[in-house]
Every structure is written in structure tokens, then in C-alpha cells.
Amino acid sequence: MDIFGIKGLLICALIFIPFEHLFAERPQKVLRKGLGVDLIYVLFNGLIVKTVIVLIAANTLEAAAILVPQSITQAVGGQPVWLQVPEIILITDIGVYWAHRAFHTIPALWKFHAVHHGIEELDWLGAFHSHPVDAILTKALSLTPIFFLGFSEASIAIFSVIYFWHTLLVHSNVRIPFGPLKWLIASPQFHRWHHANQREAYDKNFAGQLPVLDMVFGTYNPTGDKVPEKYGVDDPIPSSYFGQVSYPLLLGEKRSNRPVPSTEA
């Protein structure tokens, strides 16, 4: 049993490494800075987060059986899968948006999210580079309503596949024009400007899949075809996995280089 997802990692590598070579946004080596640490994130974070999601799902389903009328869960889960999947994408991305924004706004949470923003050379592996607390809280907030409302296992499985590959794509070092679809589907260009260490990019483009949420809530950054000058944060993030995991506990009150979003946003 491949509990660490090594087979899946190899499949992703076989797809994205050539993809990033052919359509590179910026020149970058495959064996780039931080690669080894990102591989540790893939192996260990994946196992931790999967375990927690299973526990969240089990407890949420038990609570739903008591609190949610069966007529509601049957109605939701009885819808055609093609209708359930877009509903799940919308509901979960609203959760991702607000969880993500909270991680930027609340100093205690930013300490954990700064680890993800510490990436200085962004590619598909960056999708896995998140502090376990960051990943778990975001997934708990976004997925709990899905389990609670009774969406079918098939629709959740399809959503999970879509979300996984889309997350890798938006972190990848590729330049692909999305055309008019950029307003509907988050693109690598949309998300790389969330990672840019430039003043105009701070606290923008929070959505995971639906840029329209940033437009509605006033945090959309229209970047056009511009390429960020650099990624990362101003504070020195430790280079080792265990250093990064412990970093939020040692940071004190300093909040790095991300200002609190304007209340007018």
C-alpha cells in the first residue's frame, strides 16, 4: 500500500516537469532551490492531512445524521453528479477564500501561512508546500459543509481529482493563456501574483479556483501579462522542513511583509 503517495508523485512529475520545460513562465532548473524540502512536504504532509480529513469526514457525517434532516441530505446527494460537482466547487472555494484571507489578516495565522509564501522558486511542487496547520484548517473549513450536507461520494471523489490537479496547475511554472476563461477559472498567472513579493500583490487573489470571488469581495488583482519580479517573503524562513514547521512557534509577534488588507476591500 502506497501510504506516502510515491506513485502519485511520480505520475505528477512525469506530467509537469516536461510541461514546465515546454511552456515555462521563467527559466528555472528542475533541481531548484528547496526541492528536497518540498518532497518531504509531499510525503509527510500528505499522510497527515489525509488522516485528518478522514477523521473530519467521519465526525461530520455522525453530526449530520443527528442535526440535518434526512430529507435535506437525500435531496442534495440525490442530485445528478454533474450538478453536485459545480456546487461543491463553489461551496468549498468560498471556504478556501475566507480561510485564506484569514491566514493573511490574523497575525497568529499568518505565522503558519508565511511558510507557504516562503517559496522563492515557484513550480508545481509548491502546491504541497504548506504548514500542516495551514493545510488542515483550510481543508476543515472548506470541506465540512460538503460532508455535512450529504453530497454523494462519487461527486466528492470527482471534485477531489479536479481540485488536486488544478492546484498543481496554478502553482506550476507555466505560461498558458486562459483567454476569457481567466475570469471563471484560476490560472497560474492569477495565482503566481498571489505569491509575488511585491507591494501591489499583497493580500490579493485569495480564491483557489474561482477568481470571481476575489472580484466580488474586492481582492482581485488584474495583472495582465506581467511576470512577478520575485516570490517569497522578507523574513528569513528556515530552509529545513522541521525548521519551517517550528517557525510559527518561534516567530513571536512579527508578521512578515504582508499588511492587513484594507477594511474597504
Side-chain angles (χ1 to χ4, degrees):
M1 188 162 114
D2 188 16
I3 61 173
F4 291 106
I6 295 176
K7 292 180 181 178
L9 175 63
L10 292 175
I11 292 173
C12 293
L14 288 173
I15 294 173
F16 277 97
I17 290 177
F19 197 46
E20 290 184 327
H21 177 73
L22 292 172
F23 304 100
E25 171 66 68
R26 60 201 308 162
Q28 189 166 286
K29 296 179 180 178
V30 174
L31 301 178
R32 45 84 172 165
K33 179 180 179 182
L35 177 66
V37 173
D38 284 349
L39 291 175
I40 296 175
Y41 273 103
V42 174
L43 300 178
F44 288 99
N45 268 28
L47 180 60
I48 294 170
V49 173
K50 286 175 186 176
T51 301
V52 172
I53 290 176
V54 169
L55 293 174
I56 291 173
N59 285 282
T60 302
L61 290 173
E62 287 183 8
I66 299 172
L67 301 174
V68 182
Q70 194 174 37
S71 59
I72 293 179
T73 57
Q74 288 179 343
V76 172
Q79 299 177 99
V81 171
W82 62 264
L83 184 58
Q84 289 187 61
V85 172
E87 291 172 351
I88 293 174
I89 291 174
L90 176 60
I91 294 171
T92 55
D93 215 40
I94 290 174
V96 167
Y97 176 90
W98 286 109
H100 197 175
R101 189 162 176 174
F103 270 102
H104 276 249
T105 307
I106 301 171
L109 293 180
W110 168 255
K111 298 173 186 179
F112 296 96
H113 193 57
V115 171
H116 183 59
H117 276 274
I119 302 170
E120 296 180 1
E121 294 187 74
L122 192 64
D123 62 17
W124 64 279
L125 271 175
F128 300 99
H129 188 120
S130 295
H131 193 285
V133 171
D134 183 350
I136 289 169
L137 289 180
T138 299
K139 288 187 179 298
L141 183 60
S142 60
L143 291 175
T144 296
I146 301 308
F147 298 129
F148 203 76
L149 290 172
F151 284 94
S152 69
E153 292 183 7
S155 61
I156 293 175
I158 293 172
F159 160 75
S160 298
V161 172
I162 293 173
Y163 182 82
F164 175 79
W165 287 103
H166 188 213
T167 301
L168 266 60
L169 176 63
V170 298
H171 284 89
S172 63
N173 179 36
V174 297
R175 188 171 186 84
I176 303 176
F178 271 44
L181 289 177
K182 69 180 182 179
W183 308 107
L184 299 175
I185 305 171
S187 66
Q189 175 75 355
F190 170 85
H191 192 69
R192 72 171 54 97
W193 271 96
H194 175 75
H195 277 269
N197 188 6
Q198 296 171 223
R199 181 62 188 86
E200 67 269 29
Y202 295 167
D203 301 319
K204 300 290 185 180
N205 296 1
F206 292 116
Q209 295 185 279
L210 305 174
V212 67
L213 294 177
D214 283 283
M215 298 176 197
V216 170
F217 297 117
T219 52
Y220 182 73
N221 181 19
T223 59
D225 294 327
K226 294 189 297 181
V227 179
E229 296 174 6
K230 62 177 180 176
Y231 303 117
V233 291
D234 290 342
D235 289 336
I237 304 292
S239 59
S240 69
Y241 174 79
F242 291 106
Q244 292 175 13
V245 170
S246 61
Y247 173 74
L249 306 177
L250 305 174
L251 189 58
E253 293 301 317
K254 193 173 183 182
R255 189 175 176 263
S256 188
N257 63 332
R258 292 293 195 273
V260 176
S262 169
T263 54
E264 296 178 0

